[in-house]
Amino acid sequence: MQLAFHQVDAFSDRPFGGNPAMVYRLDAWLADDLMQRIAAEHNLAETAFLVREGQHWHIRWFTPTTEVPLCGHATLASAHVLFEVYHEAVERLDFICRSGALSVTREGDRLWLDFPAILPSELGASLVVQAALGVEAVDVLSSNELFVVLESEQAVLDCKPDMAALAKLPWPGAIVTAPGSRHDFVSRYFAPAIGINEDPVTGSTHCSLIPYWSRRLGKLGLTAFQCSARGGELFCRLEGERVKIGGNATLVASGTLMLGGAGNLISNL
């Protein structure tokens, strides 16, 4: 069996920026353990698998170690592949996943994710959390992720977590965020518990970041920057109980994965 794959740098208008994701458009689902092995083979933050079901696409995402319920950058990458490689003749793609219904709309060169808004709730200062992240927190909140507000963009840049300690906390990962110098807010995301020490650009964390900063800054439209080593710019809108997350995407590689005997994997790029 041969499977085509496509690697996309999401939230970047050029190669080697943003967050890389691998995308597979399948005719039918592979076994779960095989998809997990493929994701581990590529060793990117996420590998997305798509199967058309009626008028929408069923999408699943795997880190190198586990399946996750929601992923923004790999959804953006998947939409880019469907539009640019497979020439889907629509302006909006509808997806279904474990977290519900999602969509991606094309507006010029920019793609817009439509995700649920998740307003984080107050958790209170925690010495354990601050020690794991190596920070002095202004505020600590919780949504589906640990959500830690810092004083400044420089404090976010300077954050050096203890990954072993962070992996023991009862959240998949930790968002650190602060007001930005050139953007409304900045963030970083660490998730060693699911095999990602630091994610370069994370769409799904903005489900919480956008409503938090919208309320704090009194704005519905926001600009954001995830200040990892690769970095990525996100354009954000709060629309009721939904968030819109806009960004560019760049196809950087396509190839073939060949499944040999006994499930052996051979990738040709």
Side-chain angles (χ1 to χ4, degrees):
M1 180 189 300
Q2 298 186 6
L3 301 173
F5 61 78
H6 308 281
Q7 184 172 330
V8 174
D9 287 345
F11 297 110
S12 178
D13 60 1
R14 58 183 63 85
F16 315 126
N19 199 353
M22 198 65 71
V23 178
Y24 283 83
R25 191 194 70 163
L26 304 174
D27 294 325
W29 291 113
L30 305 172
D32 288 4
D33 64 334
L34 179 55
M35 288 189 287
Q36 185 62 74
R37 291 176 62 204
I38 292 171
E41 179 78 2
H42 289 302
N43 200 32
L44 296 177
E46 261 87 18
T47 296
F49 298 91
L50 312 168
V51 173
R52 186 190 289 275
E53 296 181 355
Q55 298 302 309
H56 63 256
W57 293 88
H58 193 158
I59 186 167
R60 296 173 69 182
W61 310 274
F62 291 78
T63 77
T65 62
T66 190
E67 184 174 6
V68 295
L70 187 64
C71 178
H73 86 278
T75 304
L76 194 81
S78 297
H80 185 74
V81 167
L82 291 175
F83 282 133
E84 301 299 328
V85 178
Y86 295 104
H87 307 295
E88 287 289 316
V90 294
E91 295 305 310
R92 167 176 158 160
L93 295 166
D94 292 305
F95 297 92
I96 191 74
C97 68
R98 284 167 50 187
S99 296
L102 313 171
S103 69
V104 181
T105 302
R106 177 168 53 180
E107 296 180 11
D109 293 333
R110 189 169 296 163
L111 299 176
W112 287 89
L113 301 168
D114 182 337
F115 275 21
I118 305 170
L119 184 65
S121 56
E122 289 288 338
L123 189 64
S126 165
L127 294 177
V128 172
V129 166
Q130 293 185 99
L133 287 168
V135 299
E136 292 186 11
V138 172
D139 202 1
V140 180
L141 304 96
S142 177
S143 56
N144 51 351
E145 307 281 0
L146 180 63
F147 190 108
V148 180
V149 184
L150 304 185
E151 181 67 29
S152 66
E153 180 172 328
Q154 190 60 50
V156 172
L157 289 167
D158 291 342
C159 182
K160 295 179 180 177
D162 178 336
M163 295 299 176
L166 194 59
K168 295 177 182 177
L169 298 180
W171 293 272
I175 304 163
V176 294
T177 185
S181 57
R182 291 182 297 171
H183 298 80
D184 289 305
F185 65 90
V186 298
S187 68
R188 292 171 71 188
Y189 178 62
F190 308 99
I194 58 172
I196 307 165
N197 280 353
E198 181 171 3
D199 198 32
V201 190
T202 316
S204 60
T205 57
H206 288 74
C207 294
S208 297
L209 286 161
I210 293 169
Y212 173 85
W213 286 107
S214 177
R215 176 177 291 187
R216 180 164 162 179
L217 300 177
K219 300 171 65 174
L220 296 179
L222 303 141
T223 60
F225 188 76
Q226 191 155 333
C227 45
S228 65
R230 291 173 66 102
E233 187 173 32
L234 305 95
F235 303 88
C236 309
R237 299 198 298 256
L238 179 64
E239 297 185 359
E241 296 182 353
R242 308 291 293 182
V243 295
K244 298 293 182 65
I245 307 165
N248 298 95
T250 303
L251 180 69
V252 295
S254 294
T256 304
L257 185 81
M258 296 180 287
L259 301 182
N264 292 324
L265 304 177
I266 308 169
S267 61
N268 282 346
L269 189 61

